[in-house]
Each structure stands twice: as C-alpha cells, then as structure tokens.
Amino acid sequence: YNRNPEDASEPAGDVWFVAGPIGIREGAICGNTIQGVPTRDGANVRLEGIGPQNMLKVGLLTVSGNLITSQQVNILCRYARGIALGDNIHISGHTRNIRVEDCEQVTITGAVLDNNPDYQPAAPGGIELSRVQGCTVTGVMAENCREALSATACTGLTVSGCCFRNTQGRAISLMNCADVAVTGCVFPDTAGNMTEALAQELCERVTTTGNVI
C-alpha cells in the first residue's frame, strides 16, 4: 500500500501517475486487483497532470479490467486528456468510486459500482465529474450509491444504457452543465431510497429520452 502509515494526512495512491515536463502518455493499467487502506485524500489509481491550464501531459491511457477497492476514491483523474476507464469493478469507494476533474475526452464504460451487503457499512461510491469537456458514461451498473452520478460545469456529456439501482438520494445530478444527453437508462428503486432520478440546475441543452423511471 503506497501510503505513509505514520502520517495519515499525506495523500496516498496504489498506482500513481503524475506528469512531469515530458508527460505520461500511451499506457494501460489492466487486469489487476488494486486494494488500499482508506487514507485522507487517498485514491487507488491516480492520474494527475500539471494543472487545469495544461491537460496534455497525462493522457492516451486506459484503465480496464481491474478490481479496485478500499480507498476514499477508487479512480482519481485530474488535468488529463484522452482517458478510457472500462469494465472495472469498484467496491468500497468511501468518498467516490470515480472522480474526474478538469479533463477532456473521457470515457467511462461497463463499470460495476457495487455495494455488496457482505461489505458493511455501505460506501457512498458513485461517479463525480467536475469541469469535464467531452465525456461518455455508458453501460454503468451502480447500486446503492449516494448520488450515483454528479456532474458540475461539464459540457458534451452523454449518459446511456446505465442502471442506477436503489440510489440513495438523487441518481443523476447536473449543475451548470450544457449539451447533455441522458438516454436509455433505468432507475429501479426497490429500497425506496431514491428521491429523484434526474435533477438539474442552471443547465442548458439537456435532453432525456427512453429512460425508465
């Protein structure tokens, strides 16, 4: 576990890619079990570029086919461009399963965000997108998450073919987003915890079609 056991305040990461002047591009993290110890600001997988004004030094990367568990955030992607997150299983994301901030050209496909009853207490999990330009979320299975998908100040976002099951609170929350399509998603709630399937505030050009609520 890549952490400082004597100082829990230090950020931690099990797989940590941080860009320097040359950058980190054209790579893959595939077929692993990645498990950590929850640490403040910790993430199992961290992909971090230079800053919001330069997203080009971390990118052309895929994270796929992994079991990722037991951290504040399972995957943290920040200041990057050209990221594919596919077919990963996420458990015990104590703050979020996936957090993407200040990025461009991101796909999230086939993710399982699980809260297996054998793992108690349930973790909030879910996906959080902030200031992302160009993102597709497709075929995600999210169960018992606290706000399964939240997006703030994002443009060019598509959410399709997802199952948001037994969400605690809002399933999808959009704030100050534009050019968004939510299509073909289902929102089953046998637990009675979902307060709203789709909430939006200060958004423009949002379309919703073919969803089952």
Side-chain angles (χ1 to χ4, degrees), residues 65-81:
N66 303 285
L67 170 63
I68 309 175
T69 178
S70 301
Q71 245 313 348
Q72 294 299 327
V73 177
N74 296 140
I75 298 177
L76 170 63
C77 184
R78 181 182 288 150
Y79 316 138
R81 176 187 171 97

Side-chain angles (χ1 to χ4, degrees), residues 65-112:
N66 303 285
L67 170 63
I68 309 175
T69 178
S70 301
Q71 245 313 348
Q72 294 299 327
V73 177
N74 296 140
I75 298 177
L76 170 63
C77 184
R78 181 182 288 150
Y79 316 138
R81 176 187 171 97
I83 303 293
L85 309 178
D87 300 314
N88 298 294
I89 295 178
H90 301 256
I91 307 173
S92 299
H94 291 271
T95 302
R96 284 297 197 185
N97 295 124
I98 300 171
R99 176 175 286 161
V100 183
E101 302 174 351
D102 298 292
C103 291
E104 296 179 335
Q105 310 292 89
V106 178
T107 65
I108 302 171
T109 58
V112 175

Side-chain angles (χ1 to χ4, degrees), residues 30-78:
C30 302
N32 303 286
T33 295
I34 305 172
Q35 182 175 7
V37 174
T39 308
R40 193 178 77 178
D41 298 326
N44 295 111
V45 177
R46 306 177 74 103
L47 309 175
E48 297 184 273
I50 294 172
Q53 304 306 317
N54 187 351
M55 305 178 188
L56 305 181
K57 295 302 183 182
V58 166
L60 305 178
L61 298 171
T62 182
V63 182
S64 63
N66 303 285
L67 170 63
I68 309 175
T69 178
S70 301
Q71 245 313 348
Q72 294 299 327
V73 177
N74 296 140
I75 298 177
L76 170 63
C77 184
R78 181 182 288 150

Side-chain angles (χ1 to χ4, degrees), residues 113 127 137 140-144 148-149 159 162-167 171-172 182 185-189 194 197:
L113 315 182
I127 299 169
V137 180
V140 168
M141 170 62 72
E143 192 271 338
N144 196 23
L149 171 61
V159 183
C162 297
C163 179
F164 301 105
R165 181 170 172 259
N166 292 334
T167 303
I172 298 176
V182 180
C185 296
V186 295
F187 301 82
D189 183 28
M194 185 176 71

